[in-house]
């Protein structure tokens, strides 16, 4: 596999920064990796057996060696350079002294967990054309392990079973049901008894969501459950439990676009109930008036669905956002635990999806026990506890009636960033975002676009609304200013925090602000009363779990968005975390991020008490220079040509190419003369496909590709003139400017 936007380093350089010591790996016949269908540990201790740490994925550890009293001594044990400038979202796993971590696009690394010695590395052969239909970077959120194997799903939706000792492929399977859709995979597989399960991504494109279960020994497909029904004109549904779901869709729905519902994360096997819980994705296109014109709940969009892992049959479901048209998937991580609820010990699911509620559900039945709002919201004003349905507010949120300012916005009150539940304090600790967005149906024709964005909507986040209002057509701007939530959006655009929340009341016990709305990292807690999380400005932070008091800060020089984890080897407790900026909105690097001024150097960082190793900062990014002069426009280019190119660029290309200073993808306002000369070969013929830049000749005509090029030439000329004027005036050329993010 070749990576996008990075210089491949042929020889991997891993720094083992602690004295190398022999470690007995003990993989052969060990309990954690031996035997089929091995259940996950009930509590995380010396080992951390899945990305969530334990069977409930609480991300809470029973280890207590690192405490509030001694955490000031925490230092670097070892680190590994992963040679990528793309996002790292995974949490490593550890079994019997070996640490396994997933990286960009489904790479897997195995290390001696005490010394950092590399044991093996696996690099999948990824079809990089998949980048056409990946909204949110080349990330991967982790591996599963059982039966002596490590399971990983690569970006192009090929799942691999690797020998845990050697990293060699035992079996592999292409999980794509069809080849002509924008299917991708970024989540961690989940072992559920004798099967390993994986979902798919692509709801913003043209994908019908599904989960697939494979025999952990052979890779044979055991069952597949679709989260969205198929066109009833094709006859009976391809799964018996979809017969009820199809009744909640308009028979004339946009079946050609497929409906979305992709379960790209949030797979939890519950050994107590024997159920597999699946968080399903958002609708596609976003507006229900396009997707299912006559309305309906559109099951099983934005739901938690409990499946029998032996058969794939539905045991219960709870739809968190009926008829979702605001990009509110239920794919945020779930936590399974026990709590005292109304005087009874209940096995519960804690779930805070994008839509702004924190839900408490019964694990056996799906019964709603609590639903508390965490942030401002106007798509609903509460949940009916008898029916479990949200109290929808169509007067504020029906996209079919014009532009709307929706709270929370599509980045979500919560998202993939892992939370933790600390049973000692009873607190749910997580990153929370209180922000909305302007969302409206785009005027372009709604014809199906194969392997392309089919959201049917445009978005402007409330943090940028004031800046972008002057760029809107006057009638649209007037309609937006007349919206009932406009003044609040301007006065209070966004607030991001790490919060400790009582799940039964929704009350915040403590909260600390983060550096900005994009600064929303994962969390891990320990039995000693510590909360660990990272920051985009390149820090690992340790807090007192009771009150949020900051106890320790370690400067890393690399942004941290992934959740930390902890383990013990030979009596020593370690803390590990993946570090690099990326994920949703990856080309928009915030100015406060460490990746703005330093290279976005992907790293695995490991710490211990009295760690003495040095942590070299990533190299500084080169000084910004004025954009080079563009070539002259081709003969016949008009303002209409440039306008067409602008529309095509923002609806297809801007999701990866933000054309912002310090982006981690190429700024196309700064193309060199040789790049301009081969522009057509890159875009239409796939010249840079090995580097991750897909070809577009199946979607764009030659005239359309030429129009995009004309727009970029025009942009480059404008940028150069602007930057020359700034230099003359003594102003930094990267002074902030308004940026419209069309997807996150």
């Amino acid at each position: 596999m070749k990576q996008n936007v990075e210089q491949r380093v042929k020889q991997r350089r891993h720094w083992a920064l602690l004295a190398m010591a022999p470690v007995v790996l003990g993989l052969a016949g060990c309990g954690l990796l031996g035997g089929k269908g091995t259940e996950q540990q009930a509590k995380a201790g010396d080992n951390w057996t899945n990305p969530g740490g334990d069977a409930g994925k609480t991300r809470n550890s029973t280890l207590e060696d690192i405490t509030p009293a001694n955490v000031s001594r925490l230092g670097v044990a070892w680190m590994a350079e992963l040679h990528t400038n793309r996002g790292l979202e995974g949490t490593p796993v550890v079994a019997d002294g070996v640490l396994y971590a997933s990286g960009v696009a489904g790479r897997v690394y195995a290390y001696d967990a005490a010394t950092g010695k590399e044991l093996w590395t696996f690099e999948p052969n990824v079809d990089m054309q998949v980048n056409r239909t990946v909204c949110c970077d080349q990330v991967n959120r982790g591996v599963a392990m059982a039966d002596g194997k490590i399971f990983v799903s690569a970006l192009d939706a090929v799942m691999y079973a690797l020998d845990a000792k050697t990293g060699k492929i035992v079996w592999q399977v292409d999980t794509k049901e069809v080849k002509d859709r924008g299917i991708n995979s970024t989540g961690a597989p989940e072992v559920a008894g004798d099967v390993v399960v994986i979902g798919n991504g692509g709801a913003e494109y043209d994908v019908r969501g599904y989960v697939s279960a494979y025999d952990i020994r052979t890779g044979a497909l055991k069952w597949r459950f679709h989260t969205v029904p198929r066109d009833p004109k094709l006859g009976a549904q391809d799964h018996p439990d979809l017969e009820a779901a199809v009744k909640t869709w308009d028979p004339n729905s946009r079946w050609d676009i497929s409906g979305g519902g992709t379960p790209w994360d949030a797979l939890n096997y519950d050994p107590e109930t024997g159920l597999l819980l699946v968080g399903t994705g958002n609708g596609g296109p976003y507006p229900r008036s396009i997707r299912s014109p006559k309305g309906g709940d559109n099951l099983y969009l934005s739901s938690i669905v409990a499946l029998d892992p032996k058969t794939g049959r539905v045991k219960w479901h709870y739809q968190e956002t009926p008829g979702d048209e605001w990009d509110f998937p239920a794919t945020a991580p779930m936590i399974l635990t026990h709590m005292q609820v109304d005087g009874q010990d209940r096995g519960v699911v804690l779930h805070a999806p994008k839509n702004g509620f924190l839900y408490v559900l019964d694990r056996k039945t799906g019964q709603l026990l609590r639903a508390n709002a965490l942030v401002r919201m106007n798509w609903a004003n509460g949940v009916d506890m008898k029916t479990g349905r949200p109290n929808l507010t169509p007067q504020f949120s029906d996209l079919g009636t014009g532009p709307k300012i929706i709270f929370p916005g599509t980045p979500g009150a919560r998202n993939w960033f892992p939370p933790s539940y600390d049973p000692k304090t009873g607190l749910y600790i997580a990153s929370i975002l209180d922000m909305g967005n302007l969302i409206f149906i785009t005027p372009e024709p709604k014809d199906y676009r194969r392997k392309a964005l089919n959201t049917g909507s445009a978005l402007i986040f409330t943090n940028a609304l004031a800046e972008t209002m002057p760029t809107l057509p006057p009638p649209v701007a007037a309609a937006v200013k007349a919206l009932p939530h406009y003044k609040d959006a301007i006065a209070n655009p966004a607030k991001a925090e790490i919060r400790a929340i009582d799940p039964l009341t929704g009350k915040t016990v403590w909260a600390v602000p983060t550096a900005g709305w994009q600064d929303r990292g994962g969390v891990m807690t320990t039995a000693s009363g510590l909360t660990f999380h990272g920051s985009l400005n390149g820090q690992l932070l340790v807090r007192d779990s009771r009150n949020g008091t900051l106890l320790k800060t370690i400067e890393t020089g690399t942004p941290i968005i992934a959740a930390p984890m902890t383990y013990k080897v030979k009596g020593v407790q370690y803390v590990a975390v993946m570090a690099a900026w990326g994920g949703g909105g990856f080309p928009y690097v915030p100015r406060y991020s460490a990746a703005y001024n330093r290279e976005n150097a992907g790293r695995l960082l490991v710490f211990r008490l009295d760690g003495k190793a040095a942590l070299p900062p990533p190299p500084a990014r080169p000084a910004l220079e004025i954009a080079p002069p563009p070539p002259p426009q081709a003969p016949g280019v008009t303002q209409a040509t440039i306008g067409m190119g602008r529309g095509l660029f923002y609806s297809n290309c801007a999701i990866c190419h933000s054309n912002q200073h310090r982006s981690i993808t190429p700024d196309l306002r700064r193309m060199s003369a040789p790049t301009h000369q081969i522009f057509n070969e890159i875009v239409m013929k796939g010249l840079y496909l090995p580097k991750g830049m897909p070809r577009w000749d199946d979607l764009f005509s030659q005239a359309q590709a030429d129009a995009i090029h004309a727009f970029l030439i025009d942009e480059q000329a404008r940028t150069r003139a602007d930057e020359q004027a700034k230099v003359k005036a003594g102003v930094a050329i990267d002074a902030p400017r308004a940026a419209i993010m069309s997807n996150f």
Side-chain angles (χ1 to χ4, degrees):
M1 179 197 77
K2 301 273 188 168
Q3 267 187 252
N4 186 21
V5 198
E6 67 175 41
Q7 295 295 321
R8 287 289 294 124
V9 179
K10 293 182 179 179
Q11 298 296 323
R12 299 188 180 281
R13 297 176 292 114
H14 295 285
W15 297 340
L17 299 178
L18 202 64
M20 295 294 180
V23 174
V24 179
L25 302 183
L27 287 176
C30 73
L32 285 167
L33 287 174
K36 65 176 183 175
T38 305
E39 291 186 355
Q40 297 295 327
Q41 58 190 2
K43 296 181 179 180
D46 290 6
N47 294 299
W48 185 280
T49 56
N50 69 53
D54 53 36
K57 293 185 168 57
T58 66
R59 296 184 184 260
N60 176 264
S61 172
T62 60
L63 297 182
E64 299 183 287
D65 295 353
I66 302 172
T67 71
N70 64 23
V71 71
S72 61
R73 293 161 41 201
L74 197 66
V76 179
W78 57 270
M79 63 168 282
E81 295 276 12
L82 303 185
H83 307 297
T84 180
N85 72 335
R86 301 298 286 268
L88 294 175
E89 295 184 356
T91 301
V93 300
V94 169
D96 301 307
V98 180
L99 181 150
Y100 304 93
S102 69
V104 166
R107 294 173 176 172
V108 183
Y109 311 90
Y111 300 100
D112 180 316
T115 68
K117 178 183 177 181
E118 182 180 313
L119 304 178
W120 54 260
T121 298
F122 169 72
E123 188 161 351
N125 183 22
V126 174
D127 177 2
M128 297 310 286
Q129 189 67 15
V130 71
N131 283 316
R132 268 271 297 276
T133 55
V134 177
C135 73
C136 303
D137 206 357
Q138 300 175 356
V139 297
N140 187 281
R141 296 184 194 88
V143 301
M145 57 183 180
D147 193 37
K149 303 180 185 70
I150 302 298
F151 302 96
V152 68
S153 189
L155 189 66
D156 59 356
V158 175
M159 186 159 66
Y160 297 87
L162 309 174
D163 184 287
K165 294 180 184 178
T166 65
K168 295 184 183 298
I169 298 172
V170 178
W171 55 258
Q172 69 184 76
V173 59
D174 189 342
T175 72
K176 292 188 291 293
E177 181 182 38
V178 292
K179 308 300 182 186
D180 62 345
R181 298 280 168 163
I183 297 170
N184 61 75
S185 185
T186 57
E190 178 78 346
V191 173
D194 291 343
V195 296
V196 58
V197 183
I198 191 66
N200 64 335
E204 279 71 30
Y205 293 86
D206 58 355
V207 176
R208 180 188 180 205
Y210 58 87
V211 285
S212 306
Y214 298 91
D215 186 294
I216 63 172
R217 296 162 299 176
T218 66
L221 179 66
K222 290 296 187 180
W223 53 261
R224 175 168 285 149
F225 172 74
H226 291 89
T227 59
V228 167
R230 66 178 183 176
D231 188 344
K233 295 184 182 67
L234 298 176
Q237 292 296 316
D238 42 14
H239 190 287
D241 294 317
L242 291 175
E243 295 296 344
V246 75
K247 297 175 183 177
T248 69
W249 291 73
D250 183 344
N252 296 313
S253 292
R254 290 301 303 272
W255 306 112
D256 56 333
I257 301 177
S258 294
T262 52
W264 47 267
D265 209 4
L267 301 175
N268 283 54
Y269 174 62
D270 182 359
E272 288 189 19
T273 63
L275 298 175
L276 173 71
L277 305 186
V278 178
T280 70
N282 54 275
Y286 292 165
R288 186 169 50 172
S289 60
I290 299 174
R291 182 180 70 243
S292 179
K294 292 182 180 179
D297 286 353
N298 291 181
L299 286 176
Y300 293 98
L301 296 181
S302 305
S303 302
I304 296 177
V305 183
L307 302 176
D308 181 338
K310 295 179 180 179
T311 64
R313 293 298 303 270
V314 175
K315 293 300 184 181
W316 59 259
H317 77 274
Y318 177 74
Q319 189 170 37
E320 294 174 332
T321 312
D324 168 51
E325 57 179 330
W326 311 284
D327 188 18
F328 287 163
T331 49
M334 289 179 269
I335 287 175
L336 310 183
T337 188
H338 281 261
M339 301 179 67
Q340 286 290 317
V341 182
D342 300 327
Q344 293 184 342
D345 179 75
R346 303 287 290 261
V348 299
V349 182
L350 305 181
H351 196 227
K354 278 190 179 185
N355 74 14
F357 287 106
L358 172 55
Y359 298 92
V360 183
L361 302 174
D362 185 281
R363 284 156 63 174
K364 291 182 180 178
T365 66
Q367 178 190 354
L368 177 65
L369 304 175
R370 295 289 191 276
N372 292 298
L374 299 180
V375 295
R376 286 174 289 174
M377 63 175 66
N378 61 1
W379 69 276
N381 61 14
V383 174
D384 185 322
M385 295 302 296
K386 292 183 179 180
T387 65
R389 295 181 63 84
N391 303 318
L392 299 177
T393 55
Q395 69 272 31
F396 299 138
S397 59
D398 183 353
L399 301 187
T401 60
K404 295 292 184 293
I405 293 175
I406 304 297
F407 286 96
T410 58
R414 292 274 304 123
N415 206 306
W416 69 266
F417 312 97
S420 180
Y421 177 70
D422 183 346
K424 283 191 174 181
T425 63
L427 296 177
Y428 176 94
I429 304 176
S431 55
I432 305 292
L433 175 62
D434 186 353
M435 185 176 81
N437 53 228
L438 171 66
I439 181 169
F440 52 91
I441 297 176
T442 52
E444 289 83 5
K446 301 303 182 293
D447 294 336
Y448 163 57
R449 303 168 70 240
R450 190 178 74 88
K451 287 191 175 183
L453 283 166
N454 285 282
T455 60
S457 300
L459 313 172
I460 300 174
F461 300 158
T462 50
N463 75 304
L465 188 57
E467 298 173 82
T468 54
M469 283 295 291
T471 70
L472 298 177
V476 175
V480 172
K481 290 180 179 179
L483 292 172
H485 299 94
Y486 175 75
K487 290 183 179 179
D488 183 42
I490 297 298
N492 304 291
K495 181 172 70 172
E497 296 175 321
I498 299 292
R499 287 192 205 167
I501 301 165
D502 180 336
L504 295 180
T505 66
K507 300 297 184 183
T508 297
V509 175
W510 57 260
V512 292
T514 64
W517 76 266
Q518 288 168 280
D519 189 10
R520 300 186 288 158
V523 174
M524 181 263 291
T525 59
T526 68
S528 61
L530 297 176
T531 294
F532 293 78
H533 67 93
S535 72
L536 286 197
N537 52 19
Q539 298 173 330
L540 178 68
L541 305 167
V542 190
R543 300 185 182 277
D544 188 312
S545 295
R546 299 168 301 173
N547 51 35
T549 299
L550 183 62
L551 303 175
K552 176 69 174 180
T553 301
I554 298 178
E555 300 288 344
T556 70
T558 305
I560 299 173
I561 54 178
M565 53 82 71
T566 188
Y567 60 92
K568 184 185 283 190
V569 177
K570 289 194 170 182
V572 177
Q573 183 181 353
Y574 298 85
V575 174
V577 68
M578 308 287 281
W581 161 251
F586 65 95
Y588 295 83
V589 181
R591 295 171 67 85
Y592 56 81
S593 171
Y596 193 81
N597 292 310
R598 292 197 172 275
E599 295 294 339
N600 188 35
R603 294 166 154 184
L604 169 61
L605 305 174
V606 182
F607 307 90
R608 57 165 291 178
L609 293 179
D610 302 318
K612 302 297 185 183
L615 186 60
R621 300 189 76 171
L624 288 169
E625 297 181 354
I626 294 172
Q633 292 283 10
V637 168
T638 66
Q639 286 302 309
T641 308
I642 293 170
M644 179 174 71
R646 179 184 296 108
L648 289 166
F649 180 85
Y650 281 111
S651 60
N652 295 280
C653 314
I655 195 169
C656 291
H657 293 284
S658 65
N659 286 356
Q660 301 283 301
H661 295 103
R662 305 294 198 186
S663 178
I664 64 173
T665 56
D667 182 347
L668 302 182
R669 305 169 304 167
R670 320 183 91 77
M671 284 189 285
S672 66
T675 301
H676 279 288
Q677 291 173 0
I678 58 174
F679 183 87
N680 192 65
E681 283 72 21
I682 296 170
V683 174
M684 300 294 279
K685 298 181 181 179
L687 180 63
Y688 283 178
L689 181 61
K691 297 182 178 181
M693 170 63 193
R695 61 189 299 163
W696 292 80
D697 55 331
D698 63 325
L699 186 66
F700 297 153
S701 67
Q702 187 59 58
Q704 289 175 318
D706 291 342
I708 293 171
H709 194 195
F711 162 67
L712 291 171
I713 290 172
D714 185 69
E715 275 289 283
Q716 186 162 338
R718 292 172 182 271
T719 300
R720 178 174 171 80
D722 175 70
E723 292 177 348
Q724 286 176 322
K726 285 177 177 175
V727 169
K728 187 175 181 179
V731 177
I733 64 176
D734 63 339
R737 69 185 183 93
I740 299 176
M741 295 179 66
S742 61
N743 191 282
F744 187 84

